[in-house]
Amino acid sequence: MIRRLFKRLRPWDLESRMDKEMRFHLEEHIELLQAEGVPPEQARQAALREFGNVEFLKEECRDSWGMRFVDNMIRHLQLTGRQMKKHKGFTAVAILTLALGIGANTALFSLANAVLFRPLSFPDSHRIVTAREWHPHFGEFSLSYPNFNDWRNQQSSFESMGAITGMGYDLIRDGEAFRLRGGLASAGYFKAFGVQPLMGRFFGPEEDRADAAATAIISERLWRARFQADPSIIGTPINLTGELYTVIGILPSVYPLENRDVYTSLERYVGQGNFSNRGSHPGLAAFARLKPGVTLDQARLDLETIAASLQPLYPASNTDWSARAQLLEERLLSGSRPALKALLAASGFLLLIACVNVANMQLVRSHGRKQEFGIRASLGASKRQFATQLSVENLALGLLGGIAGIALAYVSIYWLKNLFAQSLPRISEVQLDGAAFFYLLILCFLASFLFGMAPLRQAFKSSHREALNSGGRSGESLQARKWKSRLIIGEFALTAALLVGAGLMLKSAANLYDSDLGFETDQRLTFRWNLSGPNYAEPEKRMQTLYKAQEQLRQLPGVKDVGFLTPLPLSGDDSNNPYYVEGTRIPDEGEAVGVSRYWLGPNAAEVMGLRLLAGRVFNQFDTRDNKPVAIIDRLFAEQVFGTEDPIGKRLVIGKRPPEDPAMWRTIVGVVENTAVMGATTEPQKRLYVPVAQETFRGFSFIVQTEGQPMALSQSIQKILQGIDPNLPVQALQEYDELFEQTISTEQLLMKLLAVLSALALVLAAVGLYGVLSYSVSQRTREIGVRLAIGAHPGAIRNLFLLDGVKVSGIGLLIGLGASLGLSHFISNMLYGVSRFDWVSFSLVALILGVVGLLACWAPAYRATRTAASQALRAE
Amino acid sequence: MGNKSNNLLLGALEMLVLKSLLTEDRHGWGISKRLKQISSGAFTLNVGSLYPALYRLEKKGLVESYAATSEKGREARFYKILPKGKQQLEEHTADWREFSLAVEAVLLSDS
């Protein structure tokens, strides 16, 4: 058995064996004949005659041996090559069409693969869990330090558990200050990731103490950029915002740890008296590593049980506060997943449309090949051979399309990387790797199957006789025409669905862009200025410096107005504060009453362009020496005061009336609601208070300009350097740009969908045009006859027009119908658009209708231009 | 009867080849000589059918082939009947007898 298989696998053995065997037979025969007295030459002739056609005989033997397959494949391939050479135009268009579909899919697959499916580059990354607190009103919330500490000490599910919160530092070297994104981390944080230090060590028990020494871990990126990758940095002190910290380790810059440059001890900071209040949630997030064999659900239960046990112990701060744990990988993906899925689906549609197009082209061509098949059939070729030949041709087309698709995928990936550089995690890891090539290969086969199905069916259905008879005569068979109509219907349906999706996304993106933020961002420039260091310990000193900067900036030519505030709307920073309104019910312990608070400097409300609805904005009299005041937004007014006039009412930050009546803040104005955390989030109640009555170290400036905002960046920096050269100017950018960043994912998605839809539209139009104009050319004879017997040219034009319109119309209707269901999948990405938005649907109908009409009109018009005699001569 | 008889007819050459191999292993030339001899020259085997038939038999596992030197010292390929081949030959012989009797009955009837 094995020996036989072995033989079968080696066709060259068979060839030499056949040769030897037949030569032996021939020689024996000749010898025999000679022995019988036949002269040598005649004996030879006779023996050869008996053998007949040696090649034919060998062929028969190969057949018996099962060598036919290899042989046939070679022949099919040769034929395929000849066909492709003969129909260069067809081949090129088909390959390009397929390349488009396959390339786009492969590129998006690579993107999705890197972003969605590839595990993080940490050991056992599926064991890394991130946890936060959870409250039925606020949803997920950062941890309070004492709660984290209890979780860490009581949990039994994790090998290690740590926490981190953001902390900005100024790295001061040689009199220059660089702003760093940093974090306060506990030892368990690094252990949770299981990452090894590039050099030195991470925090250990000695750092997890209130009295820990001042040590720091720096990022690989910072080490390379600022310390020239000098290994002697370990053990060296660095100046962070005026305090010296000894560098003990370097953290490799791997996603998602790459966004912070310096880490200091969390517990040391807590020991300095911060974060120790159980009711305050200073942005802490817990990271932990599951013990082997412990599931996420077990860990969740563990943390929830601990959180529940803390509630009765600390009712004031912990009532209703529970825990929420998630796998890190899950959490990192949740944001970008729907967008990527929508894109994958759209590119899948594009490939389908491409396949339909190629199928159509093949049907058109197979009609032209009918005669060829007819002749070959009458020469004894079987249907199976036709099918094999067609399949080989399809596969060859598919694979060539795939090869061209690789080039396209390369270009697309380059483009996508640039496009998504800011907005997608792990985008730098995207590449055409083995998985992508495997996917591409599958796509090639899939595409070959899809576009090959219709022509194959056709080849099987038509009989030889019919093929020979009809060749070049009466035009297309009814069968072929039916198939073509079906394909066009499918193509239009797919395109319609894709266009509706794109239309909804486009409208949603436009809504986002035009959405009323409640304040202005154009012709404005922003930057952040931190008054750090011991020089600015006194609030008075800080206010003086801020006023000075504001005054000097205002003097700059080209500057209209300047204001400062914190936090900067759209920056992503926000705060949640309890409040109490005079005369209302005192909320129960644990009851959630929260408002987000903004601190405005003089003029800030005007520079922001906040729209005043009632009362007044802040003025120069709203200082520490006068009574505290506040401005609320419309949502606050409606929710808290209803129809009452809020002006003159008093409230306080805190959960109950203040002991000192001087603490009451009087509401002096109501402004329009603002969208602040990002344009897509729900509106939230807001409260504005004057900076002069409560001041901080860090502020954002908004500079309203007359001309191009960034033109002033140099002079702005010069002025601020003049005030204090040690204070860095951070995040200097156009306010508009910041706005665009907050909606960038939606925008990018819109761009990509627009590109994909445009491609689909072109393909659909080309497909319809190609098929219709071919069917016109096939029916030239019929047209000629009709014209000859007196048909009106207009009637013939209408005939063809009607044909095309009917087919594309049906497709359009099916597509729109399907979209009603499919739009469900993108509904949660839509902003201000119903998924049944009639405008988008009608617009798609209009565009496709016009495209369909144009694609039909040209061939129909040509049909009537054909004179009767010319038409009859055409065949 | 249709299908079965067809199979029988198609297998006739193979049966003859198997039969010729019962007595001893032979090469292709030897088989053709032997068949001519036992049919008393009644039919000359067409070489064009013999070799494909041999290859078919070998592929079906009814015979196996090996290279050896012929009685005249030439290099040749010999065929040897395998147990499976013998078994098939027996079955086919029985079938054949039945079939030829049936044909005879039809041909010699008085209708």
Side-chain angles (χ1 to χ4, degrees):
Chain A
M1 180 69 195
I2 288 168
R3 219 172 68 197
R4 267 202 299 138
L5 261 179
F6 191 59
K7 272 183 194 163
R8 198 171 161 184
L9 288 173
R10 291 165 58 184
W12 52 90
D13 278 358
L14 180 71
E15 294 296 315
S16 86
R17 176 179 152 184
M18 277 190 315
D19 277 344
K20 277 186 196 157
E21 215 169 357
M22 286 168 196
R23 199 178 311 123
F24 170 75
H25 189 112
L26 213 57
E27 283 167 2
E28 290 281 337
H29 198 180
I30 294 167
E31 204 168 287
L32 181 75
L33 289 173
Q34 279 181 327
E36 288 168 359
V38 183
E41 193 44 38
Q42 273 175 2
R44 192 178 168 71
Q45 294 285 339
L48 272 174
R49 216 167 23 245
E50 200 204 332
F51 248 90
N53 184 337
V54 179
E55 277 314 308
F56 192 73
L57 176 57
K58 279 190 185 168
E59 186 70 8
E60 288 257 296
C61 291
R62 280 187 209 113
D63 267 13
S64 324
W65 200 253
M67 286 322 291
R68 198 191 196 130
F69 177 76
V70 177
D71 235 44
N72 280 356
M73 266 310 127
I74 293 168
R75 220 174 10 229
H76 282 306
L77 280 176
Q78 283 169 340
L79 201 59
T80 302
R82 274 210 296 278
Q83 282 288 345
M84 283 184 172
K85 239 188 259 168
K86 204 165 124 196
H87 303 278
K88 283 198 192 85
F90 164 84
T91 310
V93 173
I95 289 176
L96 271 181
T97 309
L98 289 172
L100 210 64
I102 295 175
N105 268 281
T106 308
L108 284 170
F109 168 81
S110 307
L111 191 74
N113 188 31
V115 178
L116 294 187
F117 308 129
R118 195 174 300 163
L120 295 170
S121 47
F122 302 107
D124 288 340
S125 59
H126 57 277
R127 279 166 53 201
I128 307 174
V129 169
T130 170
R132 282 159 183 75
E133 291 193 59
W134 195 81
H135 188 280
H137 280 102
F138 302 125
E140 194 182 80
F141 221 81
S142 73
L143 277 151
S144 86
Y145 177 76
N147 283 344
F148 159 69
N149 203 23
D150 288 338
W151 289 12
R152 178 173 55 181
N153 295 334
Q154 295 174 31
Q155 61 84 16
S156 57
S157 313
F158 303 107
E159 285 177 2
S160 61
M161 187 174 202
I164 189 161
T165 184
M167 180 74 173
Y169 282 110
D170 291 319
L171 171 66
I172 300 165
R173 288 184 80 207
D174 313 325
E176 261 189 292
F178 306 100
R179 188 67 186 171
L180 298 182
R181 268 194 76 158
L184 298 167
S186 64
Y189 174 75
F190 301 97
K191 285 202 193 95
F193 286 97
V195 64
Q196 292 300 313
L198 207 66
M199 280 179 73
R201 62 172 182 90
F202 292 146
F203 292 152
E206 60 271 43
E207 274 80 22
D208 269 357
R209 294 156 57 106
D211 58 352
T215 54
I217 291 165
I218 61 171
S219 75
E220 180 185 354
R221 181 177 52 189
L222 181 71
W223 180 54
R224 294 192 188 282
R226 295 276 173 223
F227 299 102
Q228 290 76 44
D230 178 5
S232 68
I233 187 71
I234 303 291
T236 313
I238 55 173
N239 184 338
L240 295 176
T241 322
E243 200 181 347
L244 288 179
Y245 289 82
T246 308
V247 176
I248 59 164
I250 296 167
L251 178 71
S253 291
V254 248
Y255 176 80
L257 299 175
E258 76 231 351
N259 56 359
R260 294 184 206 278
D261 280 321
V262 64
Y263 300 83
T264 58
S265 159
L266 171 66
E267 263 78 3
R268 182 173 180 271
Y269 191 79
V270 175
Q272 291 170 349
N274 303 290
F275 293 0
S276 46
N277 178 357
R278 200 174 278 271
S280 94
H281 296 255
L284 276 177
F287 288 83
R289 175 166 283 260
L290 286 172
K291 282 179 183 162
V294 175
T295 66
L296 178 64
D297 283 336
Q298 288 167 336
R300 276 183 176 149
L301 191 66
D302 187 7
L303 291 182
E304 280 162 16
T305 313
I306 296 169
S309 74
L310 293 176
Q311 290 190 23
L313 292 178
Y314 312 100
S317 57
N318 280 39
T319 303
D320 284 346
W321 285 95
S322 181
R324 168 152 296 184
Q326 228 177 339
L327 287 181
L328 178 63
E329 289 179 332
E330 190 61 30
R331 185 180 182 85
L332 292 173
L333 289 183
S334 51
S336 41
R337 191 179 281 151
L340 280 172
K341 277 189 180 163
L343 276 179
L344 273 180
S347 68
F349 269 56
L350 184 68
L351 181 61
L352 280 179
I353 292 170
C355 286
V356 170
N357 248 9
V358 175
N360 246 329
M361 287 163 61
Q362 279 196 317
L363 273 186
V364 164
R365 201 171 63 117
S366 75
H367 177 69
R369 288 177 73 181
K370 255 188 186 166
Q371 254 182 314
E372 172 205 332
F373 278 168
I375 292 167
R376 291 174 59 196
S378 42
L379 286 178
S382 66
K383 280 193 178 178
R384 218 182 105 184
Q385 277 173 314
F386 286 147
T388 319
Q389 175 62 27
L390 279 177
S391 307
V392 170
E393 281 177 25
N394 290 339
L395 267 181
L397 267 187
L399 288 174
L400 285 174
I403 291 170
I406 293 174
L408 203 87
Y410 257 113
V411 178
S412 314
I413 285 178
Y414 180 78
W415 181 64
L416 286 172
K417 272 184 164 176
N418 282 335
L419 206 59
F420 283 105
Q422 300 302 323
S423 60
L424 272 186
R426 316 182 76 188
I427 186 77
S428 57
E429 295 174 29
V430 176
Q431 52 173 341
L432 270 187
D433 53 9
F437 277 110
F438 183 68
Y439 181 77
L440 183 131
L441 202 66
I442 289 179
L443 282 185
C444 289
F445 282 108
L446 196 73
S448 306
F449 174 73
L450 283 178
F451 69 70
M453 227 164 28
L456 259 178
R457 249 186 84 101
Q458 254 266 284
F460 263 109
K461 284 233 163 144
S462 63
S463 74
H464 320 142
R465 207 178 38 208
E466 185 202 333
L468 273 178
N469 281 349
S470 68
R473 281 267 144 198
S474 62
E476 298 177 283
S477 70
L478 197 64
Q479 191 73 38
R481 226 185 295 168
K482 256 192 204 156
W483 261 102
K484 257 178 258 173
S485 302
R486 277 180 218 155
L487 286 176
I488 290 286
I489 289 173
E491 187 159 26
F492 263 70
L494 287 170
T495 312
L498 186 55
L499 282 185
V500 166
L504 291 174
M505 295 302 296
L506 270 165
K507 196 164 171 202
S508 154
N511 279 350
L512 269 179
Y513 207 80
D514 294 338
S515 61
D516 184 13
L517 290 172
F519 59 96
E520 305 297 326
T521 58
D522 60 332
Q523 295 280 310
R524 282 161 176 83
L525 181 145
T526 78
F527 62 86
R528 197 172 159 75
W529 208 39
N530 266 20
L531 302 171
S532 52
N535 285 349
Y536 300 99
E538 286 300 309
E540 294 307 320
K541 173 78 195 279
R542 295 201 288 259
M543 288 318 293
Q544 278 169 18
T545 315
L546 288 166
Y547 289 145
K548 193 169 156 193
Q550 185 180 22
E551 213 33 61
Q552 290 193 11
L553 288 172
R554 204 179 269 151
Q555 304 300 325
L556 263 179
V559 169
K560 262 193 190 161
D561 205 348
V562 179
F564 59 91
L565 77 168
T566 193
L568 180 69
L570 294 181
S571 67
D573 296 332
D574 209 341
S575 65
N576 194 24
N577 310 266
Y579 65 91
Y580 173 74
V581 176
E582 191 181 16
T584 59
R585 182 180 62 86
I586 295 177
D588 297 330
E589 282 295 344
E591 193 179 328
V593 276
V595 63
S596 90
R597 186 157 50 145
Y598 286 79
W599 289 262
L600 301 183
N603 251 13
E606 289 91 331
V607 180
M608 271 176 81
L610 284 176
R611 289 196 289 279
L612 190 66
L613 300 176
R616 64 170 178 90
V617 291
F618 301 133
N619 59 33
Q620 69 271 30
F621 303 112
D622 296 321
T623 59
R624 219 170 251 264
D625 305 329
N626 288 318
K627 63 172 186 180
V629 291
I631 296 172
I632 58 173
D633 71 353
R634 185 162 55 86
L635 190 70
F636 195 118
E638 287 166 359
Q639 282 190 0
V640 177
F641 297 103
T643 50
E644 278 181 73
D645 181 8
I647 306 291
K649 295 269 177 5
R650 300 199 301 177
L651 53 74
V652 71
I653 296 296
K655 282 191 170 176
R656 50 186 53 76
E659 278 156 25
D660 176 5
M663 295 287 284
W664 284 111
R665 283 186 182 277
T666 308
I667 297 171
V668 294
V670 179
V671 293
E672 183 53 72
N673 298 336
T674 55
V676 173
M677 273 288 266
T680 37
T681 44
E682 289 293 304
Q684 221 186 328
K685 284 195 298 242
R686 300 191 197 289
L687 179 74
Y688 302 87
V689 297
V691 155
Q693 295 177 342
E694 229 184 282
T695 181
F696 292 87
R697 279 174 181 259
F699 283 94
S700 290
F701 276 75
I702 302 178
V703 181
Q704 192 182 0
T705 62
E706 267 155 9
Q708 219 285 318
M710 284 314 273
L712 292 173
S713 64
Q714 291 281 321
S715 22
I716 288 174
Q717 271 174 315
K718 212 187 239 165
I719 286 178
L720 296 170
Q721 291 282 306
I723 294 172
D724 187 340
N726 286 325
L727 299 180
V729 175
Q730 300 148 26
L732 184 74
Q733 63 180 334
E734 278 185 55
Y735 207 0
D736 252 352
E737 211 173 284
L738 187 62
F739 170 58
E740 272 163 34
Q741 277 167 19
T742 65
I743 60 169
S744 63
T745 314
E746 283 82 1
Q747 272 204 317
L748 289 173
L749 191 64
M750 176 198 79
K751 275 186 202 165
L752 275 179
L753 267 175
V755 170
L756 288 175
S757 324
L759 287 174
L761 191 61
V762 170
L763 285 182
V766 168
L768 184 64
Y769 174 82
V771 167
L772 280 177
S773 64
Y774 183 78
S775 88
V776 167
S777 74
Q778 285 296 300
R779 289 164 74 180
T780 319
R781 194 180 147 84
E782 178 195 332
I783 297 165
V785 171
R786 279 173 191 247
L787 285 174
I789 58 174
H792 194 271
I796 290 175
R797 190 167 52 221
N798 287 343
L799 182 83
F800 280 97
L801 219 52
L802 206 68
D803 237 26
V805 168
K806 202 173 80 188
V807 171
S808 45
I810 294 172
L812 187 60
L813 283 179
I814 294 176
L816 291 180
S819 306
L820 288 175
L822 287 173
S823 61
H824 166 74
F825 295 104
I826 54 166
S827 56
N828 57 357
M829 284 187 282
L830 297 178
Y831 175 76
V833 190
S834 153
R835 71 186 185 89
F836 302 124
D837 179 55
W838 68 270
V839 180
S840 305
F841 276 77
S842 353
L843 207 65
V844 169
L846 187 71
I847 292 173
L848 270 180
V850 169
V851 166
L853 264 179
L854 281 178
C856 300
W857 185 80
Y861 180 73
R862 222 176 35 227
T864 53
R865 290 283 300 262
T866 326
S869 59
Q870 199 188 338
L872 283 171
R873 245 199 334 262
E875 298 190 9
Chain B
M1 196 157 92
N3 236 347
K4 199 174 177 191
S5 67
N6 266 344
N7 286 342
L8 280 175
L9 289 170
L10 277 173
L13 176 60
E14 273 127 337
M15 266 171 62
L16 293 174
V17 170
L18 286 176
K19 176 82 183 164
S20 74
L21 291 176
L22 269 184
T23 44
E24 58 178 318
D25 297 356
R26 295 172 201 277
H27 39 65
W29 169 244
I31 294 169
S32 78
K33 274 203 306 187
R34 170 72 181 160
L35 286 182
K36 208 183 277 183
Q37 182 195 338
I38 51 176
S39 69
S40 326
F43 55 75
T44 318
L45 188 64
N46 182 4
V47 184
S49 323
L50 172 64
Y51 283 97
L54 276 171
Y55 282 54
R56 249 189 325 270
L57 286 171
E58 185 168 358
K59 202 179 164 234
K60 282 186 200 158
L62 303 183
V63 303
E64 67 174 14
S65 74
Y66 56 94
T69 37
S70 74
E71 30 320 338
K72 287 177 188 156
R74 284 206 179 91
E75 197 188 318
R77 180 158 289 269
F78 283 79
Y79 293 84
K80 173 190 177 69
I81 188 162
L82 293 173
K84 198 176 157 197
K86 284 183 187 156
Q87 188 196 330
Q88 287 257 328
L89 181 62
E90 275 167 34
E91 282 169 21
H92 273 237
T93 313
D95 283 350
W96 180 263
R97 202 165 284 138
E98 197 182 303
F99 172 69
S100 60
L101 282 175
V103 173
E104 203 175 83
V106 173
L107 290 179
L108 299 183
S109 69
D110 297 329
S111 62

